[in-house]
Amino acid sequence: MIKSSFKMAFASVASNKLRSFLTMLGIIIGVVALVVLVSITTSATSTITDTISSISTNSISVTITDDKDKPLTLLDMDDIAALDDVAAVAPSASSTANVRDGSDTETMQLTGTTADYQSINGIELASGRFLKTADVDNHTNVAVINADTAIDILNCYNTSQAIGQTISLNGIPYTVIGVVKQSDTTISTGSTYQAYIPFTSLMRLSTTVRDVNSFVVSPKSDAVSDQAQQEINEYLLARFSNDSDAFTVINMKVIADTLSTVTDVMALMLGGIAAISLLVGGIGIMNIMLVSVTERTKEIGIRKAIGATEGSIMLQFLIESLVICLIGAAIGLGISGIIIAAINAFTDYSFALDARVCVIASIFSIGIGLIFGLYPARKAARKDPIEALHYAG
């Protein structure tokens, strides 16, 4: 009986193609809105999360805005590293320098730091090594450069070729000891050419870098991240006369957690808005099914006269409503895939259909077909066969 009901449902849909399509339109639009919006939000969230993770979510960034004439030094970094819940500390100072590119001079973005900066920020190298403690202690003129510098300034098509070569920063030669993987360059992107050099070397090279005005901290684990932040706060408050405005402490884990919460709420909100479109589509289906019941009153009367039960008639109209929703959902999913593919093809973004959302949209469409098809189906099943046979239409 179910098989024959599906055949009759498909036949009914096919016999009124335009009306069936217009009936499906609400479901199609709702599915497209739900799948595309939530998929884009999910993909964007994943991209942002990966970006934050590349910086390292298990890190705390500190900026000194007023040192109260008690500036932090590298020795203070050792004191902070000795705090109970702190695993490592690395100062971070930014400056620029002129670098020779043949006969031209280019601007290079410099970050002065220490050995632990690599592990704290999860920096991966394509070739060579990162800075060592000995480089900082001995004020060694060494540099870890990015791939653009290796390619454009040193004319190296293989990053390993750059190791051991010399670059001139403000006329001072620096030996290249490492090259950062191109996708993992975490220095400010204000300049195409970037390099990490020992903090002590930057103090000699730059006229503005004298003290430690910013540093990054790695807690011993995610579990003690808040405790590490509290310990740093207490240390700095004691140093700067209990003035909390003298410094800023940013916990990347807190930012990542907050961002995750915000994006989850956004996905839920967009999904809810799109779900309303599906509900509106369901109302349209109910209206058309009621019209269909009225148009087929005599057919219902004939079927009842030859022995059809209320249950079989109700099942037929429910399945017809379900078929309309399933076809609409299938078309909506297909259009969603085309839209996502078009966005990826014509923009620099990379999105993907979320399989979970596709399943949810399909299940929601089935639910709408059953819920909004129930009333018309019951109305058809309860028609009096005598009145239905005498219906003139």
Side-chain angles (χ1 to χ4, degrees):
M1 185 174 68
I2 294 178
K3 185 177 180 181
S4 61
S5 295
F6 269 103
K7 286 183 178 179
M8 293 176 67
F10 279 109
S12 176
V13 171
S15 64
N16 296 283
K17 294 182 179 65
L18 181 59
R19 187 173 75 178
S20 297
F21 175 74
L22 293 176
T23 306
M24 296 174 191
L25 203 54
I27 297 297
I28 293 171
I29 293 173
V31 168
V32 170
L34 178 62
V35 172
V36 171
L37 289 178
V38 177
S39 292
I40 287 176
T41 303
T42 303
S43 296
T45 300
S46 178
T47 301
I48 294 170
T49 302
D50 289 343
T51 301
I52 292 179
S53 296
S54 69
I55 301 173
S56 179
T57 55
N58 188 27
S59 67
I60 299 171
S61 177
V62 182
T63 303
I64 309 301
T65 53
D66 182 3
D67 61 19
K68 307 290 185 181
D69 293 325
K70 300 175 183 177
L72 295 178
T73 66
L74 291 178
L75 291 177
D76 294 312
M77 297 296 98
D78 294 334
D79 293 339
I80 294 174
L83 295 174
D84 291 340
D85 295 308
V86 172
V89 180
S92 173
S94 297
S95 185
T96 58
N98 293 325
V99 59
R100 298 292 297 175
D101 180 15
S103 59
D104 298 325
T105 299
E106 302 287 350
T107 299
M108 173 171 278
Q109 180 75 31
L110 300 178
T111 296
T113 187
T114 56
D116 287 329
Y117 194 88
Q118 180 186 16
S119 61
I120 294 173
N121 288 283
I123 298 170
E124 294 186 42
L125 300 180
S127 301
R129 66 172 178 85
F130 199 72
L131 306 174
K132 293 183 177 180
T133 302
D135 297 322
V136 179
D137 293 342
N138 298 325
H139 304 248
T140 309
N141 288 348
V142 292
V144 178
I145 62 175
N146 67 332
D148 285 340
T149 304
I151 295 169
D152 297 342
I153 303 298
L154 299 179
N155 299 314
C156 298
Y157 293 97
N158 186 330
T159 54
S160 61
Q161 296 175 349
I163 306 304
Q165 293 200 43
T166 300
I167 57 173
S168 175
L169 302 179
N170 288 348
I172 300 173
Y174 276 72
T175 302
V176 175
I177 58 172
V179 180
V180 178
K181 275 189 178 179
Q182 196 160 13
S183 61
D184 294 314
T185 302
T186 57
I187 312 174
S188 169
T189 55
S191 172
T192 301
Y193 307 119
Q194 305 162 353
Y196 296 102
I197 64 174
F199 189 88
T200 50
S201 296
L202 184 63
M203 290 175 65
R204 294 192 303 180
L205 186 68
S206 172
T207 58
T208 58
V209 177
R210 288 291 174 268
D211 310 304
V212 177
N213 291 320
S214 64
F215 58 92
V216 287
V217 178
S218 174
K220 288 184 176 177
S221 68
D222 283 342
V224 297
S225 180
D226 292 339
Q227 292 92 312
Q229 180 178 353
Q230 182 62 31
E231 289 173 355
I232 295 166
N233 271 316
E234 291 174 356
Y235 178 90
L236 295 177
L237 284 171
R239 180 63 174 261
F240 300 128
S241 307
N242 288 317
D243 184 2
S244 60
D245 294 327
F247 58 91
T248 302
V249 180
I250 300 175
N251 192 329
M252 294 303 295
K253 182 177 181 295
V254 173
I255 292 177
D257 291 344
T258 302
L259 179 63
S260 178
T261 301
V262 169
T263 51
D264 286 346
V265 171
M266 185 179 296
L268 186 62
M269 180 186 68
L270 292 175
I273 293 172
I276 292 173
S277 300
L278 281 172
L279 289 174
V280 172
I283 294 171
I285 286 175
M286 183 170 66
N287 289 334
I288 294 301
M289 289 303 298
L290 286 172
V291 171
S292 178
V293 169
T294 302
E295 288 179 346
R296 295 158 64 183
T297 298
K298 185 160 288 189
E299 175 194 328
I300 295 168
I302 294 171
R303 291 193 63 195
K304 279 199 167 187
I306 62 176
T309 63
E310 287 190 3
S312 64
I313 292 173
M314 187 172 179
L315 181 63
Q316 178 192 342
F317 280 91
L318 267 179
I319 288 177
E320 189 170 320
S321 173
L322 184 61
V323 165
I324 290 173
C325 286
L326 284 174
I327 295 174
I331 295 173
L333 291 175
I335 293 174
S336 299
I338 293 171
I339 291 174
I340 293 293
I343 293 174
N344 292 339
F346 295 104
T347 69
D348 294 331
Y349 300 106
S350 180
F351 299 119
L353 284 180
D354 190 319
R356 294 171 302 173
V357 179
C358 293
V359 172
I360 291 171
S362 300
I363 293 173
F364 201 71
S365 298
I366 292 171
I368 284 176
L370 294 175
I371 292 170
F372 287 94
L374 184 61
Y375 175 70
R378 290 184 64 186
K379 185 175 181 180
R382 292 181 177 182
K383 279 188 175 295
D384 183 86
I386 304 300
E387 292 181 3
L389 287 169
H390 284 88
Y391 180 73

